[in-house]
Amino acid sequence: MLDSQHIKDRFKSPRILVVGDVMLDRYWFGEVSRISPEAPVPVVLVNKSEERPGGAANVARGVSALGANCILLSVTGNDEAGQRLEELLKEDGVHTQLYRDEQVDTTVKLRVIGRQQQLLRIDFETQPSHEILLAKLTQFSNLLDSIDLVILSDYGKGGLKHIENMISQCNQRGIPVLVDPKGEDYYRYRGATLLTPNRSEFKQVAGSWKDDRELAKKAQELKDKLSLSALLVTRSEEGMTLYQNDEVFHEPTRAQEVYDVSGAGDTVIATLGVAMAAGYSLKDAVKLANLAAGVVVGKLGTAVVNTDELCHVIPN
């Protein structure tokens, strides 16, 4: 049985390195009372704005919120958004090592919210330069001596161009490496300890399935093909399923009100990483990640779960 005080104590010790694509999530909240005379779209009178770390930065703040020591290694532009992102992360207790690339703009996702519903999202992004990514890879190597576990958060923005090298270095040093994947080229993740695709991401790579038996077959085939220790498929309202060594472990979704699923995958991999680095079994780590996901989908926008919130939903 999972013990709340035991979790709080053990979660303080892990040293986790998060690497990946970071972004700044901006939210404009307002009232909608009329349709524009210029086009059939709502007019939003903005009365509040918020900024939150997104992408790999949200994974890092999720790790920190659970009490673990977190270093975030990534690339931003040398601009106001990059500076703001670093400030927010420091407020959340994340140790940042952000390389500033003069040639790019920091990735920003601007969401317009009216009547508690997202009406529009505007993205600003460019890929980092080769020289900056090589410098980041060198720093990655230097950091591994003081790290218990690595999380690679791939949002497809170009920040993990050298991911094969990173996974290889982790394997050489016996450091577990978890990957939140993106796109169709999963061979880039070959040799990782654990891959955490969601249902649609897995279907994009493995194809559709008729039932759980066929899903398990496809999952085991992908796990073996990529030489993974385990594969975790997150399945929204169907919960999450762990595949390892021809064994299937399913954790059903806990009943809750779903408010916003953005960032749920970040919470899952952050909780998995902290729990595994704290010495919990992979099955127990999945149980905790599932509970954490159930909490975070009840929050608006990119959000995290702290240890008190997690422990509060642990079954007696």
Side-chain angles (χ1 to χ4, degrees):
M1 181 178 292
L2 296 167
D3 177 79
S4 296
Q5 190 57 52
H6 198 233
I7 289 171
K8 290 181 180 180
D9 291 340
R10 290 177 68 173
F11 274 19
K12 294 176 182 178
S13 60
R15 301 164 298 174
I16 294 177
L17 174 62
V18 176
V19 189
D21 301 305
V22 299
M23 57 197 72
L24 181 64
D25 286 345
R26 285 186 160 139
Y27 297 85
W28 289 357
F29 299 91
E31 297 296 327
V32 179
S33 59
R34 63 191 177 97
I35 301 298
S36 171
E38 303 166 357
V41 294
V43 175
V44 182
L45 180 61
V46 176
N47 52 34
K48 185 178 71 169
S49 63
E50 289 184 13
E51 295 174 321
R52 304 176 190 176
N58 190 49
V59 177
R61 65 190 284 253
V63 169
S64 182
L66 290 169
N69 301 292
C70 184
I71 297 175
L72 173 64
L73 177 62
S74 191
V75 178
T76 68
N78 190 19
D79 52 19
E80 176 272 335
Q83 180 62 40
R84 182 61 181 143
L85 183 57
E86 186 166 13
E87 291 171 357
L88 290 170
L89 287 164
K90 287 183 177 179
E91 290 174 9
D92 287 324
V94 177
H95 304 286
T96 58
Q97 297 203 12
L98 302 178
Y99 282 75
R100 300 297 181 89
D101 192 336
E102 298 281 352
Q103 302 178 38
V104 306
D105 296 323
T106 300
T107 297
V108 175
K109 292 184 179 180
L110 172 61
R111 296 172 175 88
V112 181
I113 313 292
R115 294 180 179 173
Q116 301 300 310
Q117 291 185 331
Q118 185 178 151
L119 303 177
L120 177 68
R121 195 181 92 182
I122 305 171
D123 291 2
F124 306 86
E125 61 184 59
T126 49
Q127 294 205 348
S129 64
H130 181 65
E131 292 76 12
I132 287 288
L133 292 176
L134 282 176
K136 189 182 79 168
L137 180 61
T138 299
Q139 184 61 7
F140 175 84
S141 302
N142 295 335
L143 288 169
L144 288 183
D145 286 338
S146 60
I147 294 299
D148 298 314
L149 181 142
V150 172
I151 296 175
L152 302 177
S153 180
D154 192 353
Y155 270 79
K157 309 302 181 186
L160 286 174
K161 183 176 181 179
H162 301 291
I163 191 169
E164 296 98 328
N165 190 311
M166 293 177 176
I167 292 173
S168 177
Q169 288 192 51
C170 290
N171 288 336
Q172 289 170 15
R173 302 189 188 208
I175 299 172
V177 53
L178 314 187
V179 181
D180 191 358
K182 185 68 68 176
E184 297 180 357
D185 182 16
Y186 274 28
Y187 279 101
R188 302 171 64 234
Y189 311 129
R190 184 177 177 85
T193 306
L194 175 67
L195 211 62
T196 63
N198 62 36
R199 182 170 52 192
S200 61
E201 290 167 341
F202 181 76
K203 185 177 292 186
Q204 185 179 9
V205 173
S208 59
W209 55 89
K210 297 177 181 178
D211 50 33
D212 283 351
R213 183 176 178 180
E214 187 176 359
L215 169 60
K217 182 175 182 293
K218 288 178 177 290
Q220 295 289 2
E221 287 175 351
L222 182 63
K223 182 185 75 66
D224 293 342
K225 185 183 298 183
L226 300 179
S227 300
L228 307 172
S229 296
L231 176 71
L232 178 70
V233 180
T234 57
R235 303 167 62 186
S236 300
E237 73 282 356
E238 296 177 354
M240 53 185 67
T241 309
L242 177 70
Y243 304 92
Q244 56 179 154
N245 299 327
D246 296 322
E247 182 183 0
V248 179
F249 172 71
H250 182 72
E251 187 70 8
T253 296
R254 300 283 175 176
Q256 77 269 305
E257 182 178 355
V258 177
Y259 195 68
D260 191 337
V261 298
S262 61
D266 298 336
T267 294
V268 168
I269 200 165
T271 309
L272 282 169
V274 174
M276 290 172 64
Y280 285 93
S281 69
L282 190 47
K283 287 183 180 180
D284 280 343
V286 168
K287 291 177 182 179
L288 291 170
N290 190 50
L291 291 170
V295 174
V296 82
V297 296
K299 301 182 178 184
L300 175 64
T302 310
V304 296
V305 175
N306 61 41
T307 46
D308 286 336
E309 291 172 319
L310 177 59
C311 291
H312 180 71
V313 294
I314 293 175
N316 294 324

